[in-house]
Amino acid sequence: METFGAAGGLAHSKEFQAVILCGSGAKLFPLIDDNCPKALLPLANKPMLFYQLEWLETAMINDILIVCQEEAHKKINNYIHNVLNVSERYPNAKVEVIKSKGSGTSSADALRLVANRIKTDFIVLSCDTITNYPPNKLLDVFRIQSPTFTALFHEPLKAEGEVASSKSKDDDLIEYVAIDHSTCRLLFSVAGDEVDDELPVRMSILDKFPVVNIHTKLRDAHLYVFKHWVIDFLSKSKIQSIKEELIPLLTHFQYSEKVLKREGVEKYLKAGGLSYDEFYTSRHQSSTGGGFVNATYSQSMHEHYLRQNLHNPPSTASSTILLDDVEDDEVTTDFHKHIVCTALVAKEGYCFRVNSVPNYLEGSRALIKTITPEELVPRSVERAKGCQVGDSLVGDSCRVGEKTSIKKSVIGNHCVIGKNVKIINSVLHDHCVIEDKAVLEGTVVCANSKVLEMCNLKDCQVASGVSIEKEVQGKNETFID
Amino acid sequence: MATKPKDKAQAQEKVQVDEELVAVVVADSFNKRFLPLTEDKPRCLLPLANVPLIEYTLEFLATAGVEQIYVVCCSHADQIKAYLKSSRWGKSTFPKVNTFVSQQLASTGDALRDLDAKQLLKSDFILVSGDVVANMDLTKALEEHRARRVVDKNAIMTMVVKAASPAHRTRSKGEEGIYVLNAATQECVQYRSLFPIKQKLKLDLELFKAHSELQVRNDLIDCQIDICSVDVPALFTENFDYQDIRKHFVRGILESDILGKQIHCHIITDTYAARVRSTQMYDSISKDVMARWTYPMVPETNIMGTSYTHHSPYIYKDESVILQFGTKLVRYVVVGEKTSIGDKTTISESVIGRNCRIGKNVVINGSYIWDNVVIGDNCVIERSILADGVVVLNGVKIEKGSILSYGVQVGPEFTVKEFARLSLNKGRVDEDSDFDEEESDAESDDEEYDETQVGEDGKGYEKKDIIDADDDDDEEEHKAILAVCSIARDIQLHDIEDAVDEDTEDEDDLSDVDALERSHRELISTIERAFEENHSIDNIVLELNTLKFADNLDFHDIRLTAVPTVLSLVTNAATLQTTLKRWGGLLARFATDAEDQLDLLQILEEHCKTNDEHAKLFVKILTLFYNLDICEEDAFFVWFKKSSGKLRDSAKPFITWLQEAEEESSD
């Protein structure tokens, strides 16, 4: 990275850098283990990291930093440089894998780790964000409006089969996201547990943005484009979570000058090359006379905020700030002109996050639909008579036995599937063996595992290297060593 | 003009539906905003760009292919009937215009109940008021409405609304509403009037359970065109307290859990529709007509058999108009038949009626001059309405926002103060709708006119009691309410700037602060005046509420002012008791619930911290607050718990006593 930009070439710009954050993926247990970190979890037979790199390539982003945990570093590095062979595949790109220290690293900590390497506006995405949303749409909003950040939201995948849907519901709490679609402005987003019976909407918002759509079904895709100064701000703050703290805070900056001031954002803005003087003087004038009611307010809020931030777990800290301000901060209701938050909703292509097992299954199915029929079942697959393969992706060199039926499923490479097997809505990783008359539904079988004859597994997860005995009946179960 | 449906789609639609398209025109406004103009004439016959308002409404309905139009008249019913009979609608069979006279109607609700009782409406109908100006195509709205009805009979009404910016001039000030719609289906799930102003709109989370994406819209102009099913009049009959179709009916339906009825919105973006709700709207819509937004309903269409021609820039002149060489028509001007205008006279953004005589060196700007008006030389008329037969003598200046009713005479060399409303009728008006008073005494010549109101040779009285006739003549109160909807009122309710333009927002802040201080001073002076003149508590409360309403304050602001002002009368322990006995009720009226009372106590504490004299009396004040029932026990306890410092400690014995007293009483 020392030669940053030198090899960038003319075709690819140095406009943005990208940071891929590889989390631990606790919710994907037991699909991931030491051999298979989250970033390398196969999704439609390709590691998840592949999709982010592909998306960034489409976006013509070359300077990519991957931050992962220490344990996963070796695997990911190996994948990038030896398996994927980045230098050949994306000759313009410079990809570097960086290990974070300690296991409990938060998303903001991970960003802080690479703060000194970020020299431009930057894209942050999670390794579980899978999308083919046209990158230029997102980047153009950022280029045109020059906002503080642009976030991507998506609608949850429509679950197929009732079981999957009932599981995906408790997946995330409801979130109220207010967007003005004509200007792409993200006006607020409030988590369901922060409001009781009523959702308050400031009239001042409605005056500035007369048409506000409030969504309840949208999910944050964890794909953001940030202004460069945000990394400076972040590296000096105690923020832990990007999604739960940084984004709400920045969104709130839009209409609360007080919060903006006490956070000392001006100096970052100034460093970011904005006409600070003009900005500051105008704001200053307007606020001098404002003390009629709330003169002592700002100070106490500041202390309150500090207290919260020091002693509370990160997620609650942010929510408290936000709500308190919404409740009490009556005087400053103007929208700040230098803090602009924008959001897009991915309505074309696919966009989802693989952050839980049900989402993993649904995501796999969503990807199958994007693959052409010829590629779904390669020639190297041995298909016995009378076997049916429909809406499914089958990996290289698999063997499928007689009268076996595979529907809406992903089969990894080199799997062996016996006779009279039924596989529906399931995912098999590489080198699995499924013996005769087994039935798998909504089930994930990880690499090198065996499911013996007559097993019937519904909505189960089988960790890698596990062998399931004959005639085991399983429902909603997890099989590990 | 078009009395036959030209629209083929409309014809096909009719075949499919096989229902007669019916419209109900409510030809009464049920309010007093146009007083004194509506004393002698109903609002729907007032001229807009020299054409009676109802013409626009009927023309719009005829173009939409309506076959039966029922005009419901209340006040001045004879005039409306006579007008319709003599006009082209009298003989028209398609659409057929029927008039119904129902005396004693006080609201749109009454009108619908009346229709329900008569059982005239058998199918879906279009409900409009008699003062709607529109060129929109109703076909699509009707189709949508019918399609919804096929699927769900509970979709009882479709409101037509127009998208604009929040500060659009054609949005009726003070009557703007916020619509919360289901983004996908356009079902209206919540409707709230912007008035009285609140800081926040509160959305019930239950709404989100039924609708995953809601759209909150603050940019819609209510055109007062509703497509209703027959259930609507029936619902009005069931709920006899529904008066206004928006405030009561729509809210009632949306908030009701039992009815399960739905109301949808049809949003128009590129066509025009608006209702003349107030003089401010009259001004805006007149300008819209002149700016041709309402095409084909523009002056040179000559629907009244006139001979207007259109000249750039937006000047409409009848052939028979006589101008002098030096007459200057700037832009947005309509001049009616046989009107003559003198030399060196400048007219801009105004409508001049028929048979007017306007003298030399006159400046008319933003004004509406109706028929047979005589204006002398060297006059200045600024953003006012001059009704039929007004005589303005030489050298008169009419300041903005004035309304001169029929036959009023002013001058010479006189200034009509801004927002004056002059009329020949002296009488007080105390009915609730357009006025039907047969005043015979008005024209008698021997009456005395007040020279300070109309000038030396003037005829007419100033009307001061237009809005609220029952209470005392409080200037502030008038202004507060009139401010909202009068012609030429330039106030911005929210200091709204251009929707996205954030560069100007800093000035807002300054003016906000100024406004806050100003209203603070005003509050103090109001209370002090009340002390001097020994008003009743009720009256002060009324006045303060008006100020609150006008200046967008909340009760906290009032308490913040009222506490120190009331206590300023207190100099020692002796005066304390008498003062609080006399005026304590004022504080109580602004602190009705526990939260407010807590706030009151906190304000009191803050105040006493800054005032040594009162600090000494603090406990006594608390005791009196309790004895006079200004605050309840609980408020004291909560305050005591939350507060700290010397004053709190000094109140400890009192609180202990209070606790004991309570325990005793509960034993």
PDB file of all heavy atoms in Angstrom, chain B residues 62-85:
ATOM      1  N   ALA B  62     -69.044  19.731 -15.532  1.00  0.00           N
ATOM      2  CA  ALA B  62     -69.578  19.425 -16.855  1.00  0.00           C
ATOM      3  C   ALA B  62     -68.497  18.785 -17.713  1.00  0.00           C
ATOM      4  O   ALA B  62     -68.734  17.784 -18.403  1.00  0.00           O
ATOM      5  CB  ALA B  62     -70.092  20.692 -17.508  1.00  0.00           C
ATOM      6  N   THR B  63     -67.305  19.334 -17.644  1.00  0.00           N
ATOM      7  CA  THR B  63     -66.209  18.785 -18.432  1.00  0.00           C
ATOM      8  C   THR B  63     -65.904  17.359 -17.997  1.00  0.00           C
ATOM      9  O   THR B  63     -65.486  16.521 -18.793  1.00  0.00           O
ATOM     10  CB  THR B  63     -64.942  19.645 -18.257  1.00  0.00           C
ATOM     11  OG1 THR B  63     -65.340  20.998 -18.288  1.00  0.00           O
ATOM     12  CG2 THR B  63     -63.954  19.390 -19.350  1.00  0.00           C
ATOM     13  N   ALA B  64     -66.092  17.087 -16.714  1.00  0.00           N
ATOM     14  CA  ALA B  64     -65.800  15.748 -16.203  1.00  0.00           C
ATOM     15  C   ALA B  64     -66.884  14.756 -16.585  1.00  0.00           C
ATOM     16  O   ALA B  64     -66.798  13.582 -16.258  1.00  0.00           O
ATOM     17  CB  ALA B  64     -65.640  15.786 -14.693  1.00  0.00           C
ATOM     18  N   GLY B  65     -67.928  15.214 -17.246  1.00  0.00           N
ATOM     19  CA  GLY B  65     -68.964  14.297 -17.698  1.00  0.00           C
ATOM     20  C   GLY B  65     -70.035  14.004 -16.670  1.00  0.00           C
ATOM     21  O   GLY B  65     -70.715  12.984 -16.739  1.00  0.00           O
ATOM     22  N   VAL B  66     -70.201  14.892 -15.728  1.00  0.00           N
ATOM     23  CA  VAL B  66     -71.236  14.691 -14.717  1.00  0.00           C
ATOM     24  C   VAL B  66     -72.604  14.930 -15.353  1.00  0.00           C
ATOM     25  O   VAL B  66     -72.778  15.851 -16.151  1.00  0.00           O
ATOM     26  CB  VAL B  66     -71.017  15.661 -13.540  1.00  0.00           C
ATOM     27  CG1 VAL B  66     -72.159  15.591 -12.560  1.00  0.00           C
ATOM     28  CG2 VAL B  66     -69.699  15.347 -12.860  1.00  0.00           C
ATOM     29  N   GLU B  67     -73.558  14.048 -15.017  1.00  0.00           N
ATOM     30  CA  GLU B  67     -74.868  14.173 -15.652  1.00  0.00           C
ATOM     31  C   GLU B  67     -75.872  14.922 -14.790  1.00  0.00           C
ATOM     32  O   GLU B  67     -76.707  15.648 -15.294  1.00  0.00           O
ATOM     33  CB  GLU B  67     -75.410  12.783 -15.968  1.00  0.00           C
ATOM     34  CG  GLU B  67     -74.608  12.112 -17.071  1.00  0.00           C
ATOM     35  CD  GLU B  67     -74.565  10.616 -16.917  1.00  0.00           C
ATOM     36  OE1 GLU B  67     -75.498   9.957 -17.406  1.00  0.00           O
ATOM     37  OE2 GLU B  67     -73.625  10.109 -16.291  1.00  0.00           O
ATOM     38  N   GLN B  68     -75.795  14.693 -13.502  1.00  0.00           N
ATOM     39  CA  GLN B  68     -76.738  15.361 -12.604  1.00  0.00           C
ATOM     40  C   GLN B  68     -75.939  16.169 -11.601  1.00  0.00           C
ATOM     41  O   GLN B  68     -75.032  15.636 -10.962  1.00  0.00           O
ATOM     42  CB  GLN B  68     -77.561  14.322 -11.830  1.00  0.00           C
ATOM     43  CG  GLN B  68     -78.613  13.613 -12.631  1.00  0.00           C
ATOM     44  CD  GLN B  68     -79.866  14.426 -12.807  1.00  0.00           C
ATOM     45  OE1 GLN B  68     -80.033  15.477 -12.193  1.00  0.00           O
ATOM     46  NE2 GLN B  68     -80.753  13.965 -13.682  1.00  0.00           N
ATOM     47  N   ILE B  69     -76.276  17.420 -11.464  1.00  0.00           N
ATOM     48  CA  ILE B  69     -75.610  18.226 -10.450  1.00  0.00           C
ATOM     49  C   ILE B  69     -76.669  18.720  -9.471  1.00  0.00           C
ATOM     50  O   ILE B  69     -77.667  19.320  -9.877  1.00  0.00           O
ATOM     51  CB  ILE B  69     -74.869  19.426 -11.086  1.00  0.00           C
ATOM     52  CG1 ILE B  69     -73.806  18.946 -12.066  1.00  0.00           C
ATOM     53  CG2 ILE B  69     -74.250  20.298 -10.005  1.00  0.00           C
ATOM     54  CD1 ILE B  69     -73.075  20.055 -12.788  1.00  0.00           C
ATOM     55  N   TYR B  70     -76.461  18.416  -8.220  1.00  0.00           N
ATOM     56  CA  TYR B  70     -77.354  18.937  -7.188  1.00  0.00           C
ATOM     57  C   TYR B  70     -76.649  20.072  -6.469  1.00  0.00           C
ATOM     58  O   TYR B  70     -75.576  19.878  -5.904  1.00  0.00           O
ATOM     59  CB  TYR B  70     -77.703  17.847  -6.176  1.00  0.00           C
ATOM     60  CG  TYR B  70     -78.446  16.691  -6.778  1.00  0.00           C
ATOM     61  CD1 TYR B  70     -77.879  15.430  -6.851  1.00  0.00           C
ATOM     62  CD2 TYR B  70     -79.738  16.875  -7.277  1.00  0.00           C
ATOM     63  CE1 TYR B  70     -78.567  14.360  -7.408  1.00  0.00           C
ATOM     64  CE2 TYR B  70     -80.438  15.812  -7.846  1.00  0.00           C
ATOM     65  CZ  TYR B  70     -79.844  14.561  -7.909  1.00  0.00           C
ATOM     66  OH  TYR B  70     -80.525  13.512  -8.466  1.00  0.00           O
ATOM     67  N   VAL B  71     -77.241  21.241  -6.540  1.00  0.00           N
ATOM     68  CA  VAL B  71     -76.648  22.377  -5.849  1.00  0.00           C
ATOM     69  C   VAL B  71     -77.428  22.585  -4.555  1.00  0.00           C
ATOM     70  O   VAL B  71     -78.634  22.812  -4.589  1.00  0.00           O
ATOM     71  CB  VAL B  71     -76.695  23.649  -6.720  1.00  0.00           C
ATOM     72  CG1 VAL B  71     -76.070  24.818  -5.982  1.00  0.00           C
ATOM     73  CG2 VAL B  71     -75.998  23.407  -8.038  1.00  0.00           C
ATOM     74  N   VAL B  72     -76.738  22.441  -3.441  1.00  0.00           N
ATOM     75  CA  VAL B  72     -77.405  22.612  -2.149  1.00  0.00           C
ATOM     76  C   VAL B  72     -77.157  24.030  -1.664  1.00  0.00           C
ATOM     77  O   VAL B  72     -76.012  24.432  -1.464  1.00  0.00           O
ATOM     78  CB  VAL B  72     -76.855  21.611  -1.110  1.00  0.00           C
ATOM     79  CG1 VAL B  72     -77.590  21.753   0.199  1.00  0.00           C
ATOM     80  CG2 VAL B  72     -76.965  20.202  -1.643  1.00  0.00           C
ATOM     81  N   CYS B  73     -78.201  24.802  -1.523  1.00  0.00           N
ATOM     82  CA  CYS B  73     -78.040  26.196  -1.100  1.00  0.00           C
ATOM     83  C   CYS B  73     -78.598  26.370   0.293  1.00  0.00           C
ATOM     84  O   CYS B  73     -79.553  25.711   0.686  1.00  0.00           O
ATOM     85  CB  CYS B  73     -78.768  27.165  -1.996  1.00  0.00           C
ATOM     86  SG  CYS B  73     -78.904  26.677  -3.688  1.00  0.00           S
ATOM     87  N   CYS B  74     -78.021  27.307   0.977  1.00  0.00           N
ATOM     88  CA  CYS B  74     -78.561  27.624   2.291  1.00  0.00           C
ATOM     89  C   CYS B  74     -78.774  29.126   2.376  1.00  0.00           C
ATOM     90  O   CYS B  74     -79.842  29.638   2.070  1.00  0.00           O
ATOM     91  CB  CYS B  74     -77.625  27.107   3.369  1.00  0.00           C
ATOM     92  SG  CYS B  74     -78.158  27.505   5.013  1.00  0.00           S
ATOM     93  N   SER B  75     -77.721  29.854   2.715  1.00  0.00           N
ATOM     94  CA  SER B  75     -77.912  31.297   2.792  1.00  0.00           C
ATOM     95  C   SER B  75     -77.972  31.875   1.383  1.00  0.00           C
ATOM     96  O   SER B  75     -77.345  31.352   0.461  1.00  0.00           O
ATOM     97  CB  SER B  75     -76.777  31.915   3.580  1.00  0.00           C
ATOM     98  OG  SER B  75     -75.577  31.610   2.950  1.00  0.00           O
ATOM     99  N   HIS B  76     -78.705  32.932   1.240  1.00  0.00           N
ATOM    100  CA  HIS B  76     -78.892  33.603  -0.053  1.00  0.00           C
ATOM    101  C   HIS B  76     -79.350  32.622  -1.115  1.00  0.00           C
ATOM    102  O   HIS B  76     -78.967  32.713  -2.278  1.00  0.00           O
ATOM    103  CB  HIS B  76     -77.590  34.267  -0.527  1.00  0.00           C
ATOM    104  CG  HIS B  76     -77.039  35.248   0.455  1.00  0.00           C
ATOM    105  ND1 HIS B  76     -77.667  36.423   0.743  1.00  0.00           N
ATOM    106  CD2 HIS B  76     -75.919  35.217   1.203  1.00  0.00           C
ATOM    107  CE1 HIS B  76     -76.949  37.089   1.641  1.00  0.00           C
ATOM    108  NE2 HIS B  76     -75.893  36.373   1.945  1.00  0.00           N
ATOM    109  N   ALA B  77     -80.163  31.665  -0.723  1.00  0.00           N
ATOM    110  CA  ALA B  77     -80.579  30.629  -1.661  1.00  0.00           C
ATOM    111  C   ALA B  77     -81.284  31.226  -2.869  1.00  0.00           C
ATOM    112  O   ALA B  77     -81.084  30.765  -4.000  1.00  0.00           O
ATOM    113  CB  ALA B  77     -81.485  29.634  -0.961  1.00  0.00           C
ATOM    114  N   ASP B  78     -82.085  32.259  -2.654  1.00  0.00           N
ATOM    115  CA  ASP B  78     -82.842  32.846  -3.769  1.00  0.00           C
ATOM    116  C   ASP B  78     -81.884  33.369  -4.827  1.00  0.00           C
ATOM    117  O   ASP B  78     -82.100  33.180  -6.017  1.00  0.00           O
ATOM    118  CB  ASP B  78     -83.709  34.013  -3.296  1.00  0.00           C
ATOM    119  CG  ASP B  78     -84.266  33.760  -1.924  1.00  0.00           C
ATOM    120  OD1 ASP B  78     -84.370  32.557  -1.579  1.00  0.00           O
ATOM    121  OD2 ASP B  78     -84.558  34.733  -1.202  1.00  0.00           O
ATOM    122  N   GLN B  79     -80.827  34.028  -4.356  1.00  0.00           N
ATOM    123  CA  GLN B  79     -79.879  34.585  -5.313  1.00  0.00           C
ATOM    124  C   GLN B  79     -79.235  33.487  -6.147  1.00  0.00           C
ATOM    125  O   GLN B  79     -79.086  33.630  -7.353  1.00  0.00           O
ATOM    126  CB  GLN B  79     -78.772  35.345  -4.572  1.00  0.00           C
ATOM    127  CG  GLN B  79     -79.183  36.718  -4.112  1.00  0.00           C
ATOM    128  CD  GLN B  79     -77.971  37.454  -3.579  1.00  0.00           C
ATOM    129  OE1 GLN B  79     -76.928  37.479  -4.199  1.00  0.00           O
ATOM    130  NE2 GLN B  79     -78.115  38.040  -2.403  1.00  0.00           N
ATOM    131  N   ILE B  80     -78.869  32.402  -5.487  1.00  0.00           N
ATOM    132  CA  ILE B  80     -78.208  31.319  -6.219  1.00  0.00           C
ATOM    133  C   ILE B  80     -79.181  30.718  -7.223  1.00  0.00           C
ATOM    134  O   ILE B  80     -78.845  30.497  -8.382  1.00  0.00           O
ATOM    135  CB  ILE B  80     -77.692  30.244  -5.243  1.00  0.00           C
ATOM    136  CG1 ILE B  80     -76.690  30.860  -4.275  1.00  0.00           C
ATOM    137  CG2 ILE B  80     -77.046  29.095  -6.000  1.00  0.00           C
ATOM    138  CD1 ILE B  80     -76.230  29.933  -3.187  1.00  0.00           C
ATOM    139  N   LYS B  81     -80.392  30.482  -6.762  1.00  0.00           N
ATOM    140  CA  LYS B  81     -81.398  29.910  -7.655  1.00  0.00           C
ATOM    141  C   LYS B  81     -81.637  30.821  -8.848  1.00  0.00           C
ATOM    142  O   LYS B  81     -81.669  30.372  -9.999  1.00  0.00           O
ATOM    143  CB  LYS B  81     -82.728  29.714  -6.903  1.00  0.00           C
ATOM    144  CG  LYS B  81     -82.800  28.381  -6.215  1.00  0.00           C
ATOM    145  CD  LYS B  81     -84.067  28.246  -5.423  1.00  0.00           C
ATOM    146  CE  LYS B  81     -85.164  27.531  -6.206  1.00  0.00           C
ATOM    147  NZ  LYS B  81     -86.309  27.218  -5.312  1.00  0.00           N
ATOM    148  N   ALA B  82     -81.804  32.081  -8.545  1.00  0.00           N
ATOM    149  CA  ALA B  82     -82.087  33.035  -9.615  1.00  0.00           C
ATOM    150  C   ALA B  82     -80.920  33.062 -10.604  1.00  0.00           C
ATOM    151  O   ALA B  82     -81.117  33.055 -11.822  1.00  0.00           O
ATOM    152  CB  ALA B  82     -82.325  34.421  -9.032  1.00  0.00           C
ATOM    153  N   TYR B  83     -79.716  33.052 -10.042  1.00  0.00           N
ATOM    154  CA  TYR B  83     -78.554  33.118 -10.929  1.00  0.00           C
ATOM    155  C   TYR B  83     -78.498  31.897 -11.835  1.00  0.00           C
ATOM    156  O   TYR B  83     -78.328  32.009 -13.044  1.00  0.00           O
ATOM    157  CB  TYR B  83     -77.257  33.227 -10.119  1.00  0.00           C
ATOM    158  CG  TYR B  83     -76.049  33.178 -11.017  1.00  0.00           C
ATOM    159  CD1 TYR B  83     -75.638  34.330 -11.679  1.00  0.00           C
ATOM    160  CD2 TYR B  83     -75.384  31.984 -11.259  1.00  0.00           C
ATOM    161  CE1 TYR B  83     -74.572  34.280 -12.558  1.00  0.00           C
ATOM    162  CE2 TYR B  83     -74.311  31.930 -12.130  1.00  0.00           C
ATOM    163  CZ  TYR B  83     -73.898  33.084 -12.776  1.00  0.00           C
ATOM    164  OH  TYR B  83     -72.858  33.046 -13.652  1.00  0.00           O
ATOM    165  N   LEU B  84     -78.657  30.732 -11.249  1.00  0.00           N
ATOM    166  CA  LEU B  84     -78.531  29.503 -12.038  1.00  0.00           C
ATOM    167  C   LEU B  84     -79.629  29.427 -13.097  1.00  0.00           C
ATOM    168  O   LEU B  84     -79.421  28.941 -14.199  1.00  0.00           O
ATOM    169  CB  LEU B  84     -78.575  28.282 -11.127  1.00  0.00           C
ATOM    170  CG  LEU B  84     -77.321  28.069 -10.282  1.00  0.00           C
ATOM    171  CD1 LEU B  84     -77.501  26.881  -9.347  1.00  0.00           C
ATOM    172  CD2 LEU B  84     -76.095  27.842 -11.165  1.00  0.00           C
ATOM    173  N   LYS B  85     -80.798  29.916 -12.729  1.00  0.00           N
ATOM    174  CA  LYS B  85     -81.915  29.858 -13.663  1.00  0.00           C
ATOM    175  C   LYS B  85     -81.619  30.729 -14.879  1.00  0.00           C
ATOM    176  O   LYS B  85     -81.883  30.346 -16.025  1.00  0.00           O
ATOM    177  CB  LYS B  85     -83.180  30.341 -12.957  1.00  0.00           C
ATOM    178  CG  LYS B  85     -84.419  29.703 -13.528  1.00  0.00           C
ATOM    179  CD  LYS B  85     -85.631  30.073 -12.693  1.00  0.00           C
ATOM    180  CE  LYS B  85     -86.898  29.658 -13.428  1.00  0.00           C
ATOM    181  NZ  LYS B  85     -88.084  30.263 -12.809  1.00  0.00           N
TER     182      LYS B  85
END
